[in-house]
Amino acid sequence: MSAVARQRLEEHLRLARQLGPARVHRGVLQQFFVSPALPMERLCLEDIARVWGRFADDVRAHRAPELVHLYLHIPFCSHRCRYCVYYSTGSYQPEQLEAYLDRLHAELDHYGAVMEGVGISTCYLGGGTPTVLSPSQLGELLDHLDAAFTRKRGGEWSFECNPLSLTADKARLFRDHGFNRASFGVQTLNSRVLDGVNRGYQTPRRVAETFRILQEQGFWINADLIEGLPGESQDSMLKSFEEIVRLQPTQVTIYAISPFTPMSAVDVDRLPPIGDSLPRLMPIAKRHGFRGASGSTCLHFSGKRRRISNLLDRERGWMGYHHSYDDTTVEPFSLLGLGPTARSYVYGRLRYMLDETPVDAPFDPQVRCATGRRVSMDEERRRFAVYQLERPGGLREADFVRLFGQRLADVFGAELGAARQLGLLRRKRDAYLHTSADPLRRFATELSFVAPAMLETISAELHPTSLPTDLEESEDPSAEANTEALGMVLELSASGIEVEVVLADYWPDRPCYHHAGSFAFFVPSELPEGTCSLGAQRESVLQSFSLIFDSVVEQAQPADLDELRAALATEGDRSDGIRVSVASVESVASVAGADTDGPQG
């Protein structure tokens, strides 16, 4: 066994090195179980509702875990931040927002009927920016939410807010509808960095005012900061942190900038692990009464708990909440996400993600607008093992038996035995613990608990065997499309700057610089990463073109690439000083060359 186990360890170490430091530090749970790259199927909302219906039957009969999270996505922002990886638009018309809310109300009604009698433990209203809604729009949405779902006592009901759009009236609406936590993305207080990421509107004075509004209404407040933004030094980040903890939020969370950020100026693989900042932050935290801890993707700081008025409401009976919204928790849970790109998870049954549909698309439960895959109890057991190994307490026998009714040795005897033989894990009482603090070695150890199908899929992603030269040879779901119109080369010009881009149909595995709806464009010389390193001026042209691209796709709703090209040429001639001209029409393969594998931009 020793030779075989050692060979497998070397294979896992090799895979970890190929994934790179940023993905390794995010951990096996995030890389393989939260968003695993496995074969998917197309689903419609009726298909999905049937799965939720069977789950609801089991919950009512006490045969399924009762922890259910609810997520509502509001894909609108007053300004779109350049680092953001989430689906939202900062360019929209009032009627589009109204149409989106009509659709979200219909989704709430659709699933509310299916989940009748099943209590929702936590809710998160995110985006985008939910506080861009007017008080009347927000009140109507929250009324629909209350009518559609029953809430369980003792849970976290949270909303995201922004200093530009939060008002005292909106905060009172959230409080009156039982919300008890606000998450406020500050990101940094460095004005120069804020200007660079399109958050120049945020001032220290407005941030302090937002905290005052939230504290007056008695919310628990989480403030987010981001480490690794372009132009942000560690001293600057420390200064922002100190200014924020002086305002006394309940929590401060510092995230490493996402490996999937669209900003080309960030080389996430060169950024140090997020935990490296903890020693410099702790003295500041202690001075202001905060305690700190390190996670795989963020740092957590918690302040002194204050009594919160709406949590002590005797009518509701809440005396503090027991469940937090968490889509990576070890406790068996299900997550119902509503709105484009929202992720959902039905424990032991199904994992799926809704499409990036236009914000004003109507609600139609028969349209296939989601991509998902079935989840087995074998995957649940593996997920639990990996999650526990990533935690300080390790993988405990008692917890595993309580949840699955099986002993660890009966399920993972070979994996645990090999890891102990190689000195990767040790046994302490009834728990298995890592022996090394090295992230690469820990990551490789946990890969032993990942199913072979997941490992093979990631290996194939890193080492593709061949390049698709047309749609029939690729995995494009629209394989019957006209291959002659697959790629259209455009030349963008503004103020003497020229950039060549290629229009293409979009599907999830296609590398691109930017996509909207079913269309994408990329910079040929920048594949496979789908980013741009052509300099700040060309990057500025591409960013402006991205806004035009989004607007054209949403408003013109082109049926094919020919219509998209024509609309872009017309719109580009009068928007942001960018002129769009067609250079040629040919296949993407011939434009991109032989190196088109890699992550979506």
Side-chain angles (χ1 to χ4, degrees):
M1 176 197 280
S2 180
V4 174
R6 195 167 296 280
Q7 180 182 359
R8 185 169 298 148
L9 172 62
E10 290 301 323
E11 292 172 356
H12 291 167
L13 284 168
R14 190 180 309 115
L15 177 58
R17 293 189 190 99
Q18 291 167 345
L19 287 170
R23 294 168 88 174
V24 165
H25 285 293
R26 288 176 67 85
V28 170
L29 181 75
Q30 289 280 343
Q31 176 65 44
F32 288 90
F33 291 95
V34 175
S35 301
L38 286 174
M40 302 282 185
E41 59 179 303
R42 296 293 290 162
L43 302 166
C44 69
L45 298 185
E46 284 189 345
D47 299 330
I48 292 168
R50 280 193 286 272
V51 177
W52 279 109
R54 291 192 292 271
F55 167 80
D57 289 340
D58 285 347
V59 170
R60 289 188 286 263
H62 306 290
R63 295 190 300 263
E66 296 183 3
L67 177 57
V68 179
H69 301 305
L70 176 65
Y71 175 80
L72 275 65
H73 189 64
I74 307 297
F76 301 93
C77 294
S78 56
H79 297 67
R80 169 109 177 134
C81 300
R82 292 187 63 227
Y83 54 78
C84 186
V85 298
Y86 300 108
Y87 174 54
S88 67
T89 176
S91 174
Y92 59 91
Q93 300 299 318
E95 56 268 24
Q96 291 179 294
L97 179 53
E98 288 289 350
Y100 179 77
L101 290 174
D102 289 343
R103 168 177 152 191
L104 192 55
H105 296 161
E107 281 189 273
L108 285 166
D109 296 342
H110 177 73
Y111 288 104
V114 172
M115 301 287 282
E116 184 177 357
V118 176
I120 301 298
S121 296
T122 78
C123 178
Y124 194 96
L125 190 59
T129 312
T131 48
V132 300
L133 304 184
S134 69
S136 61
Q137 290 170 331
L138 182 60
E140 187 176 1
L141 175 60
L142 297 180
D143 285 341
H144 256 87
L145 174 61
D146 289 342
F149 293 100
T150 303
R151 73 174 67 189
K152 298 182 74 172
R153 292 181 176 180
E156 177 185 283
W157 286 64
S158 185
F159 65 95
E160 290 183 356
C161 61
N162 180 281
L164 200 63
S165 54
L166 180 72
T167 64
D169 287 346
K170 294 176 187 178
R172 279 192 293 272
L173 269 173
F174 279 114
R175 181 201 63 187
D176 293 344
H177 283 269
F179 280 73
N180 47 38
R181 179 179 179 273
S183 187
F184 176 22
V186 179
Q187 322 312 6
T188 180
L189 292 176
N190 184 315
S191 60
R192 183 171 56 83
V193 175
L194 288 169
D195 285 340
V197 296
N198 201 31
R199 283 183 73 93
Y201 59 84
Q202 177 177 293
T203 65
R205 184 174 182 177
R206 186 57 198 158
V207 168
E209 174 66 8
T210 302
F211 273 91
R212 185 192 65 77
I213 291 172
L214 295 172
Q215 287 165 345
E216 281 187 354
Q217 299 301 324
F219 292 107
W220 283 33
I221 304 170
N222 172 73
D224 287 342
L225 297 173
I226 295 180
E227 185 179 81
L229 292 173
E232 179 91 285
S233 66
Q234 183 147 107
D235 287 343
S236 171
M237 192 268 287
L238 293 173
K239 184 177 179 181
S240 291
F241 176 70
E242 180 144 32
E243 291 299 315
I244 291 302
V245 294
R246 280 177 181 161
L247 295 170
Q248 288 295 303
T250 316
Q251 307 156 320
V252 179
T253 308
I254 302 180
Y255 290 95
I257 194 166
S258 171
F260 309 109
T261 181
M263 295 185 67
S264 62
V266 179
D267 186 351
V268 292
D269 282 340
R270 292 185 179 274
L271 295 175
I274 186 70
D276 288 2
S277 301
L278 191 60
R280 297 190 66 187
L281 291 161
M282 281 305 299
I284 301 172
K286 288 179 179 178
R287 282 202 303 271
H288 297 275
F290 283 76
R291 295 172 295 177
S294 179
S296 58
T297 60
C298 61
L299 302 176
H300 300 278
F301 297 89
S302 57
K304 296 176 181 177
R305 295 190 176 186
R306 292 184 295 277
R307 291 170 67 84
I308 300 174
S309 59
N310 65 317
L311 287 181
L312 297 175
D313 188 323
R314 291 184 179 181
E315 182 181 344
R316 296 184 179 92
W318 293 352
M319 298 296 291
Y321 48 82
H322 308 297
H323 292 301
S324 299
Y325 178 90
D326 185 353
D327 62 359
T328 60
T329 179
V330 68
E331 185 172 359
F333 75 97
S334 296
L335 166 64
L336 174 58
L338 306 184
T341 72
R343 296 197 314 265
S344 296
Y345 179 62
V346 190
Y347 183 80
R349 292 169 171 81
L350 180 69
R351 178 183 291 276
Y352 63 93
M353 182 174 180
L354 297 175
D355 292 349
E356 189 176 298
T357 49
V359 292
D360 53 359
F363 175 75
D364 186 344
Q366 296 183 339
V367 171
R368 296 193 179 276
C369 60
T371 304
R373 64 180 181 83
R374 307 295 166 172
V375 176
S376 67
M377 287 308 298
D378 175 67
E379 180 175 330
E380 297 290 2
R381 288 187 287 267
R382 291 176 182 276
R383 181 181 181 277
F384 176 87
V386 167
Y387 184 93
Q388 290 287 67
L389 285 171
E390 289 184 355
R391 294 165 62 85
L395 175 57
R396 295 183 63 242
E397 179 80 33
D399 292 336
F400 193 84
V401 172
R402 174 176 56 85
L403 291 178
F404 301 107
Q406 295 174 282
R407 296 174 61 249
L408 281 168
D410 295 335
V411 180
F412 297 121
E415 292 87 345
L416 292 168
R420 293 184 70 187
Q421 187 178 20
L422 292 172
L424 302 170
L425 294 177
R426 62 185 175 90
R427 184 80 183 260
K428 183 178 180 180
R429 299 187 182 92
D430 76 333
Y432 292 88
L433 302 162
H434 280 287
T435 59
S436 173
D438 175 46
L440 199 70
R441 196 169 180 84
R442 292 166 70 97
F443 192 94
T445 302
E446 292 162 13
L447 286 179
S448 299
F449 298 88
V450 177
M454 285 189 184
L455 291 174
E456 290 168 6
T457 302
I458 293 294
S459 296
E461 174 191 321
L462 294 169
H463 303 287
T465 55
S466 62
L467 170 74
T469 56
D470 58 40
L471 287 174
E472 293 182 358
E473 295 177 10
S474 72
E475 294 183 357
D476 176 18
S478 58
E480 295 179 0
N482 180 2
T483 58
E484 292 299 315
L486 177 58
M488 296 187 177
V489 183
L490 301 182
E491 289 179 350
L492 314 180
S493 56
S495 302
I497 304 300
E498 293 186 355
V499 185
E500 185 181 79
V501 299
V502 178
L503 297 183
D505 294 310
Y506 170 73
W507 63 84
D509 292 330
R510 164 164 281 174
C512 63
Y513 178 87
H514 182 80
H515 69 273
S518 57
F519 301 103
F521 71 86
F522 60 84
V523 185
S525 62
E526 298 301 308
L527 293 171
E529 284 74 21
T531 58
C532 176
S533 60
L534 301 179
Q537 291 178 311
R538 287 176 171 80
E539 171 72 11
S540 177
V541 172
L542 288 168
Q543 289 289 328
S544 297
F545 180 66
S546 296
L547 297 176
I548 297 172
F549 190 85
D550 289 345
S551 176
V552 166
V553 171
E554 287 185 14
Q555 296 181 25
Q557 297 188 3
D560 53 31
L561 288 173
D562 283 318
E563 290 187 10
L564 175 62
R565 176 195 60 188
L568 285 170
T570 302
E571 184 73 14
D573 282 345
R574 64 172 188 266
S575 299
D576 295 336
I578 293 182
R579 182 173 180 80
V580 180
S581 57
V582 179
S584 62
V585 179
E586 52 190 301
S587 75
V588 167
S590 64
V591 172
D595 192 14
T596 60
D597 65 302
Q600 168 196 323

